[in-house]
Amino acid sequence: MKDVRDALIVARNTEGGLVHRPLSPHLQVYRWQISMVLSIMHRFSGIALSVGALVLVWWLVAAATSPDAFGQVQWFLGSIIGYIVLIGWTIALFYHLFNGIRHLVWDAGYGFEKPTFHTTGWVVVVATFAFTLLVWIVGLAVK
Amino acid sequence: MSETAKRSASRGVHVTVMRSQLGRVRGLGSAKSGVAHWWAERVTSVALVPLTLWFVAAAVQLVGASHEDVLNWVASPVTIVLLICLLLATFYHMKLGLQVVVEDYVHVDSVRFALLLLIKAVCFLAALAGIISVLKMGL
């Protein structure tokens, strides 16, 4: 036992060895479904966007520093890794934005019925990819 | 026993209030912090909806932009104000969100404390660096 909380969850098996009692059902006992995938993705996209926010600051600081520093950021963003970062950023941004609006609607007390819940989930997924595609088509056309 | 409880008891109704009178007055619940975190996360998210859409539209127009194009873009007061709002809301929202992730998954007190401080420091510094850069270019 390393933690006082263990006193509440430790038991002995039939051979007398110490075992941890299960605390609550864990993720692996559930069948994967859209609601849980989207919930996990919301947190995951938030973490990805944190990295994206730091890239934005890097871009701004470089632009404020010198044309050379700005050129380095633009070179990185124009490389293959840069494109992967930017496309991933766009997907994460639209997903977190649309699913965030879904969360705000729940906070207001609407959309908890199971069919509504599933429909809005799929709307978020479709809208994410539609807007990502739109932004990249327009962006590359501008370029 | 409080007056309310006495009156209820005299009518044959048993009322047990487990919270102290001071606790009830403070109204902060067992978490001791009220809903400030939850509420700030929602307020910043509402602000970020239009700010994000504006930024995406701006970013699309800046694809392949030269250094000069960027300086011209930031020269507008509207851009300066919206960029600063975007940076403030983003990094405040990011600090609140990452804090919850750490609180949920990191159970070693010392590591959790260090990570929470690190998140605060990075978010504060990044927001400040972004804002100063915008002001330096725009003003």
Side-chain angles (χ1 to χ4, degrees), chain A residues 71-127:
Chain A
Q72 283 172 0
V73 185
Q74 292 294 78
W75 172 82
F76 170 74
L77 293 178
S79 69
I80 293 171
I81 297 173
Y83 267 85
I84 294 170
V85 169
L86 286 175
I87 292 171
W89 189 2
T90 318
I91 295 171
L93 190 74
F94 279 124
Y95 178 72
H96 204 82
L97 174 69
F98 295 137
N99 203 48
I101 292 170
R102 189 162 164 251
H103 267 279
L104 288 172
V105 173
W106 290 333
D107 292 337
Y110 304 100
F112 291 113
E113 301 76 19
K114 236 182 194 176
T116 317
F117 198 81
H118 280 238
T119 309
T120 53
W122 281 112
V123 168
V124 165
V125 173
V126 172

Side-chain angles (χ1 to χ4, degrees), chain A residues 43 61 63-64 70 74 93 107, chain B residues 42 65 67 100 104-105 133 136:
Chain A
R43 184 160 274 197
V61 169
F70 183 74
Q74 292 294 78
L93 190 74
D107 292 337
Chain B
R42 267 66 192 173
H67 188 235
V100 176
D104 280 355
Y105 303 129
S133 300
K136 184 174 178 252

Side-chain angles (χ1 to χ4, degrees), chain A residues 5 43 47 50 53-54 56-57 59-61 63-64 66-67 70 74 93-94 97 101 104 107 135 138-139 142-143, chain B residues 38 42 45-46 49 52-53 55-56 60 63 65-67 70 90-91 94 98 100-101 104-105 126 129 133 136-137:
Chain A
R5 283 168 290 194
R43 184 160 274 197
I47 295 168
S50 302
L54 295 177
L56 170 64
V57 167
W59 186 78
L60 285 170
V61 169
S66 68
F70 183 74
Q74 292 294 78
L93 190 74
F94 279 124
L97 174 69
I101 292 170
L104 288 172
D107 292 337
V135 159
V138 174
V142 167
K143 190 184 175 185
Chain B
W38 186 91
R42 267 66 192 173
S45 69
V46 170
V49 172
T52 303
L53 292 174
F55 177 72
V56 170
V60 165
V63 174
S66 68
H67 188 235
V70 174
T90 296
F91 283 104
M94 173 174 154
L98 290 180
V100 176
V101 174
D104 280 355
Y105 303 129
S133 300
K136 184 174 178 252
M137 282 186 282

Side-chain angles (χ1 to χ4, degrees), chain B residues 37-50:
Chain B
H37 181 285
W38 186 91
W39 191 241
E41 204 168 65
R42 267 66 192 173
V43 171
T44 47
S45 69
V46 170
L48 280 167
V49 172

Side-chain angles (χ1 to χ4, degrees), chain A residues 3-74:
Chain A
D3 194 303
V4 285
R5 283 168 290 194
D6 281 354
L8 297 170
I9 57 169
V10 162
R12 288 189 184 277
N13 61 18
T14 47
E15 278 102 39
L18 284 174
V19 287
H20 278 108
R21 289 188 187 284
L23 290 173
S24 59
H26 282 282
L27 275 180
Q28 67 270 20
V29 307
Y30 295 107
R31 181 175 59 84
W32 283 86
Q33 45 194 324
I34 175 98
S35 48
M36 72 195 276
V37 174
L38 295 189
S39 174
I40 294 165
M41 285 306 294
H42 195 72
R43 184 160 274 197
F44 187 74
S45 61
I47 295 168
L49 287 173
S50 302
V51 180
L54 295 177
V55 174
L56 170 64
V57 167
W58 179 35
W59 186 78
L60 285 170
V61 169
T65 305
S66 68
D68 282 349
F70 183 74
Q72 283 172 0
V73 185
Q74 292 294 78

